[in-house]
Amino acid sequence: MTEVPLTTTTTKGLHPGLTRRQISMMGLGGAIGAGLFVGSGQAIGIAGPAVLISYLIAGTVVILVMAMLAEMVAARPSSGAFSSFAQRAMGRSAGSAVGWLYWIQLVVVIAAEATGAAGIIEGWVPGLPAWLWVLIFVAALTAVNLFGVRNYGRFEFWFAAIKVFAIIAFLLVGAGAILGLIPGVPATGLGNLVAHDGFAPHGVAGIAAALLVVVFAFGGTEVVAIAAAESDDPAHNIRRIVREVMVRILVFYLGSIFVIVAVLPWNSPEVLDGPFSAVLATLRVPGVDLVMSLIVVMALLSAMNANIYGASRMAYSLGERGLAPMAVTRTSGRGVPYVAVLASVAFGFVTVALNWAFPVTVLGALLNIVGSTVLVIWTATVISQIILRRRADHDGEQMPMRMWGFPWLSWAALVLLAVIIALAMIDPTARVQLLLTLALTAALLGLARLTRGRSRRGVITEPDDATVP
């Protein structure tokens, strides 16, 4: 079957203004968040030092997915990114479901990040309630996103840079501790890697269980595929951006975890509570609690800022493709899809309000529903790349960038994702989360099918039976 053309007008009203450095830092900022600074302790407690293998496997999946995204973005830049690619490869319903799933996830996470940051700040300034801090954070970052993509890029660059500098400093201090270069602190060496029941105290089962925790920490890197559409030369920029993001994330993640499990016993209670704080406290770094709290707040606000951007651009793209109300395609004189920005933030406000009214249940339930979104999006990305690459090769299309090792590495990524999904189905907690996300995805697919055939002037939608020739 021949491919039905899909209009790629997703950048028509947007003004290119992001530089390669800014997009690269956005990718880092999206992935380096509270999940690394705080959540990594849980993964270490499950697998011990062998958690490094879990991070290496998850990092391999991320590298492959990012390479596939780079190939597709170079060929057809779009602010809808993986949603647009899913639509081209698998039809309108798939593109709609992936796009809306991503948007729903981001707006829920925006509320969670604002709530988390406000909870920390409230402890410093007890006179002001948490809801006021949430209002301040959301209003400030909404303004940043409305000022224009160029200003947003500058702001997010420095936001992410602070986290990067903090990790680099941590790696240097950690290396000094391991080698005995810190005055008054004896060298830790590498003994802790094997001293407490061995390198893999819980065996392969521990590595597999930790993988479920680790894989979600890498979520957020996909924002570079969305942001590339607002750079001056997406096809050229995406190659270097993806390479930089992949290398730096692996170095930062693996390096940080290596320092933690080398400096401290993996089964130390302090590691589970806050691994970075525990290492710095052991090395007698003054004011460690305040320093780490500031970094976590910065990580939350940086990720929140990137998520407002990603959610608004995805909503804009859905509107351009006739999959969302036309209003979200309205842009300001600065090329900002202001309706999409406000709509994304408004839903975040709703979830914050529900969290205030029902603090024990609502936000936790929403996060549970969208908790496995990254697995669905990555799987859709891999399938889309396999279909679109085969289609391009069949048609003799000249592509600006071709992923190496096709089709073997693409299929390897799909197998790895299938293994992770199978592991999630075995784990009771992860199974509930995955099933809820799959139920939401199925509902979005059903809704898309119910509304198929609707279009508006200037939009061409693909049928639901788009196939590979």
Side-chain angles (χ1 to χ4, degrees):
M1 180 181 202
T2 57
E3 178 187 354
V4 179
L6 173 67
T7 53
T8 14
T9 57
T10 53
T11 58
K12 181 177 61 178
L14 305 180
H15 294 180
L18 293 174
T19 67
R20 179 180 57 81
R21 284 199 316 156
Q22 289 170 344
I23 298 174
S24 178
M25 291 299 282
M26 285 172 62
L28 291 174
I32 301 174
L36 173 62
F37 291 115
V38 180
S40 54
Q42 181 185 356
I44 294 171
I46 294 172
V51 74
L52 289 166
I53 298 176
S54 303
Y55 274 97
L56 190 59
I57 295 172
T60 299
V61 175
V62 172
I63 286 175
L64 294 175
V65 171
M66 291 292 287
M68 294 179 206
L69 276 173
E71 178 185 274
M72 294 184 287
V73 169
R76 291 180 178 84
S78 165
S79 61
F82 34 85
S83 170
S84 298
F85 306 143
Q87 183 168 347
R88 292 188 63 83
M90 296 178 281
R92 177 185 185 276
S93 294
S96 177
V98 170
W100 279 111
L101 183 66
Y102 184 72
W103 184 84
I104 292 171
Q105 178 214 18
L106 290 193
V107 296
V108 171
V109 171
I110 288 168
E113 288 160 344
T115 303
I120 296 173
I121 298 293
E122 185 184 22
W124 301 343
V125 189
L128 296 177
W131 67 264
L132 182 58
W133 285 111
V134 170
L135 179 63
I136 292 171
F137 294 150
V138 174
L141 296 183
T142 300
V144 168
N145 277 268
L146 291 175
F147 282 154
V149 70
R150 190 179 302 275
N151 292 321
Y152 161 80
R154 294 186 185 122
F155 190 88
E156 183 60 22
F157 176 88
W158 290 110
F159 236 161
I162 292 173
K163 293 189 290 185
V164 170
F165 293 151
I167 291 179
I168 292 174
F170 180 79
L171 293 177
L172 292 174
V173 171
I178 294 170
L179 299 173
L181 302 179
I182 299 179
V185 178
T188 62
L190 302 179
N192 281 324
L193 294 177
V194 294
H196 306 277
D197 298 324
F199 178 72
H202 299 141
V204 176
I207 295 171
L211 181 60
L212 291 176
V213 178
V214 169
V215 71
F216 298 108
F218 286 98
T221 52
E222 61 276 351
V223 73
V224 301
I226 295 174
E230 287 187 81
S231 65
D232 55 353
D233 187 359
H236 175 72
N237 288 336
I238 193 65
R239 304 184 193 186
R240 296 188 62 183
I241 290 168
V242 167
R243 184 167 60 247
E244 291 170 0
V245 170
M246 290 189 303
V247 171
R248 290 173 184 174
I249 283 179
L250 282 179
V251 170
F252 291 155
Y253 266 86
L254 288 173
S256 298
I257 301 303
F258 178 82
V259 165
I260 293 168
V261 295
V263 172
L264 293 174
W266 67 269
N267 52 2
S268 168
E270 293 81 7
V271 171
L272 183 62
D273 294 337
F276 284 75
S277 298
V279 169
L280 295 177
T282 299
L283 303 180
R284 303 169 191 171
V285 175
V288 59
D289 291 336
L290 178 60
V291 169
M292 285 310 304
S293 294
L294 284 171
I295 291 174
V296 170
V297 169
M298 195 67 65
L300 288 168
L301 295 181
S302 172
M304 180 181 167
N305 194 39
N307 287 338
I308 293 174
Y309 171 85
S312 64
R313 268 45 177 191
M314 183 58 72
Y316 175 84
S317 175
L318 289 168
E320 284 263 300
R321 287 177 281 143
L323 304 175
M326 187 177 177
V328 296
T329 63
R330 295 175 185 166
T331 56
S332 67
R334 296 176 176 177
V336 176
Y338 65 94
V339 175
V341 170
L342 295 175
S344 301
V345 174
F347 191 87
F349 268 124
V350 170
T351 55
V352 169
L354 290 173
N355 186 46
W356 175 77
F358 310 100
V360 180
T361 56
V362 173
L363 196 55
L366 289 172
L367 287 170
N368 215 28
I369 291 172
V370 300
S372 297
T373 298
V374 66
L375 291 178
V376 176
I377 290 173
W378 286 359
T379 302
T381 298
V382 173
I383 294 173
S384 299
Q385 189 266 344
I386 293 172
I387 293 174
L388 294 177
R389 175 66 177 271
R390 286 179 58 192
R391 188 178 292 166
D393 290 346
H394 178 273
D395 296 340
E397 179 183 342
Q398 296 297 316
M399 303 180 69
M401 178 181 178
R402 300 174 74 86
M403 179 187 167
W404 16 264
F406 181 84
W408 309 111
L409 288 181
S410 297
W411 284 106
L414 197 58
V415 169
L416 284 173
L417 284 168
V419 170
I420 294 170
I421 290 171
L423 291 173
M425 292 301 292
I426 295 173
D427 182 87
T429 302
R431 180 171 61 246
V432 171
Q433 190 179 89
L434 178 60
L435 290 175
L436 287 171
T437 302
L438 292 177
L440 175 60
T441 305
L444 292 171
L445 279 169
L447 185 61
R449 286 187 174 275
L450 287 175
T451 59
R452 66 184 176 186
R454 295 184 183 180
S455 61
R456 54 185 175 78
R457 189 178 303 172
V459 175
I460 301 175
T461 57
E462 293 191 47
D464 286 296
D465 59 348
T467 58
V468 187

